[in-house]
C-alpha cells in the first residue's frame, strides 16, 4: 500500500504539472497574458524578497560564526598561556623541592 500511495502521489504531481503547463499553453487573449504576467512578476518580487532575507540571514550567521571563531581562538590562547604558566610553576616547585632534598642530604 505504501507503493500504491507513492504512485498515486506521483500521478497527482504529474497531473498538476500538466495542468499548469496547459494553463500557460491555453493563454489566448491579451487580458489572460497580462494576468499571467502580473502573477509571474508577483512571484518574482516575492522570490527576490525571500532571497534578500535569506542573504541577510546568511551574512548575520557568517558574522556570528566569525565572532565565535575569534572568541574560540582567544580562549585557546588563554588556555595555552595558563598551561604554560602552570608548567612553569610545577617546574619551579620541583626545583625547590630538589634543592631542599639536596640541602637536607648535605647536612
Amino acid at each position: 500500500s505504501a507503493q500504491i500511495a507513492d504512485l498515486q502521489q506521483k500521478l497527482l504531481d504529474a497531473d498538476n504539472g500538466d495542468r499548469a503547463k496547459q494553463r500557460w499553453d491555453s493563454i489566448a487573449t491579451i487580458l489572460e497574458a497580462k494576468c499571467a504576467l502580473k502573477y509571474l512578476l508577483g512571484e518574482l518580487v516575492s522570490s527576490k524578497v525571500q532571497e534578500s532575507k535569506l542573504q541577510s540571514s546568511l551574512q548575520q550567521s557568517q558574522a556570528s560564526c566569525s565572532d565565535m571563531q575569534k572568541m574560540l581562538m582567544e580562549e585557546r590562547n588563554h588556555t595555552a598561556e595558563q598551561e604554560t604558566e602552570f608548567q612553569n610553576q610545577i617546574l619551579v616547585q620541583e626545583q625547590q623541592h630538589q634543592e631542599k632534598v639536596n640541602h637536607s642530604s648535605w647536612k
Side-chain angles (χ1 to χ4, degrees):
S1 23
Q3 288 177 335
I4 291 172
D6 187 44
L7 288 173
Q8 287 174 337
Q9 185 61 45
K10 287 180 182 178
L11 285 173
L12 284 174
D13 291 343
D15 191 37
N16 287 337
D18 287 343
R19 283 187 198 154
K21 186 178 183 322
Q22 286 174 357
R23 276 191 208 132
W24 292 111
D25 290 343
S26 68
I27 293 176
T29 67
I30 296 294
L31 182 59
E32 290 175 337
K34 283 182 178 180
C35 288
L37 188 56
K38 184 176 179 180
Y39 170 78
L40 288 174
L41 288 175
E43 288 296 307
L44 177 64
V45 169
S46 177
S47 294
K48 288 289 186 181
V49 168
Q50 185 66 20
E51 178 193 18
S52 177
K53 288 178 182 178
L54 289 171
Q55 189 68 29
S56 176
S57 176
L58 174 62
Q59 288 172 349
Q60 289 175 353
S61 294
Q62 287 173 331
S64 177
C65 180
S66 179
D67 290 345
M68 293 296 264
Q69 287 175 333
K70 182 179 177 184
M71 287 174 46
L72 178 61
M73 188 59 74
E74 289 171 356
E75 286 298 317
R76 285 180 176 168
N77 289 341
H78 181 67
T79 301
E81 289 171 5
Q82 287 181 328
E83 180 70 22
T84 301
E85 183 180 326
F86 179 68
Q87 291 297 330
N88 287 338
Q89 289 176 357
I90 290 174
L91 183 61
V92 166
Q93 292 209 356
E94 286 175 348
Q95 288 172 346
Q96 288 173 351
H97 176 72
Q98 191 62 39
E99 288 174 7
K100 285 180 184 178
V101 169
N102 287 343
H103 190 269
S104 302
S105 65
W106 287 101
K107 286 186 176 182

